[in-house]
Amino acid sequence: MQSRVRRGSTRWWSRASSPCWPRSSRSASSLLLLRRRRPEPTCSATTPRSRPSSACPTRGPDDSLKWLPLSVTERVEVMLGSLREIYPGVDVRRHIIGDPVTVSWEAEPHFMGAFKANLPGHYRYQHRLFTHFVQDSLPERHRGLFLAGDDVSWTAGWAEGAVQTALNAVWGVLHHFGGETHPANPGPGDSFDDLAPITLPD
C-alpha cells in the first residue's frame, strides 16, 4: 500500500564527547510534551558518561519542511538554540566533537512518508490486517503469526493504534496456545463478533 500522506522529519547526527543530556534536569513526561515543538534529543542510553556517545536531535513533520532550505550549520545552530531553552544550564555545544550530518527525509528521492494512510479501495486490506489476530478460520499452516503496530490499526501514526493491536495480538497468542481470559474481563477476540469492523464484499 502506498502512502497518500507524506510526512517526515529532519534529523542531525553528531559524535559527542559524552552522553550530554542530564538525567535529572527534566522528566521524561516533560520531554514528551516538548517533542512536537522542540527537537527530540536522543543519546546512547548505554554509553558510560566517560566515553564518547552520539547525539540525534529530531524535528517533526511541520517544522521539518521549514528546514529544507537551511544549511547543515544553520540547522545545528537552530537545534542548539532550542536545546538551550530545554536545558538552560547545559552547554550542549561543547560536547560536539564531530562534524554534524543532517537529513531531511522529504528531500530524499524515494521518500514515501513516515507512516501509511489508506487509499480509496484499501479498506479490505486494512480489514485483513486488523482482524488477523482472530485465526480460527485460517488454514492451520497460516496460524501462529500475530501482527501489531500502528500501521496494522485503523489509526496509523498514533500510539493508540499500536497499543490496541498489541492487545489484540496478546489475545491471539493466548488463544493460540489454548488459554482463556477471565469471564468478567473478556478479551478483544472474545467479543469479536460484536466489535469486528464491517466486512465488505470483494
Side-chain angles (χ1 to χ4, degrees), residues 38-39 59 77-87:
R38 292 287 187 268
R59 280 285 183 173
E77 289 302 319
V78 175
M79 285 279 193
L80 291 175
S82 295
L83 289 172
R84 275 196 301 272
E85 296 179 23
I86 300 173
Y87 303 114

Side-chain angles (χ1 to χ4, degrees), residues 2-201:
Q2 292 184 344
S3 169
R4 63 183 175 90
V5 178
R6 293 172 61 84
R7 305 194 65 175
S9 63
T10 292
R11 297 171 185 262
W12 66 268
W13 292 265
S14 180
R15 187 168 171 80
S17 60
S18 65
C20 42
W21 320 122
R23 292 192 173 101
S24 60
S25 65
R26 293 283 180 137
S27 68
S29 59
S30 69
L31 285 178
L32 286 174
L33 291 175
L34 289 167
R35 68 188 298 264
R36 285 304 174 196
R37 300 309 304 170
R38 292 287 187 268
E40 304 168 28
T42 304
C43 273
S44 176
T46 59
T47 303
R49 298 191 71 78
S50 60
R51 297 180 56 189
S53 180
S54 60
C56 179
T58 303
R59 280 285 183 173
D62 297 333
D63 286 337
S64 179
L65 289 173
K66 301 172 186 175
W67 282 46
L68 286 177
L70 300 182
S71 67
V72 175
T73 301
E74 290 170 327
R75 294 180 184 194
V76 171
E77 289 302 319
V78 175
M79 285 279 193
L80 291 175
S82 295
L83 289 172
R84 275 196 301 272
E85 296 179 23
I86 300 173
Y87 303 114
V90 178
D91 184 4
V92 177
R93 184 187 300 275
R94 73 180 178 86
H95 289 278
I96 298 176
I97 59 176
D99 294 329
V101 177
T102 181
V103 173
S104 289
W105 303 129
E106 295 89 342
E108 295 300 302
H110 303 296
F111 174 72
M112 292 295 292
F115 53 86
K116 70 119 176 81
N118 293 331
L119 291 167
H122 283 176
Y123 178 90
R124 59 176 59 86
Y125 305 129
Q126 191 63 47
H127 183 280
R128 291 170 188 169
L129 282 172
F130 183 77
T131 61
H132 186 259
F133 72 99
V134 178
Q135 302 185 352
D136 292 341
S137 62
L138 296 178
E140 187 172 352
R141 69 182 186 278
H142 293 161
R143 300 177 190 176
L145 174 67
F146 298 93
L147 306 174
D150 63 295
D151 284 349
V152 177
S153 76
W154 297 99
T155 52
W158 296 92
E160 178 185 1
V163 172
Q164 183 182 32
T165 55
L167 293 173
N168 291 349
V170 168
W171 181 92
V173 172
L174 176 71
H175 182 71
H176 183 72
F177 287 106
E180 297 179 345
T181 56
H182 192 281
N185 186 27
D190 301 314
S191 306
F192 186 74
D193 291 340
D194 297 325
L195 301 177
I198 297 172
T199 301
L200 298 179

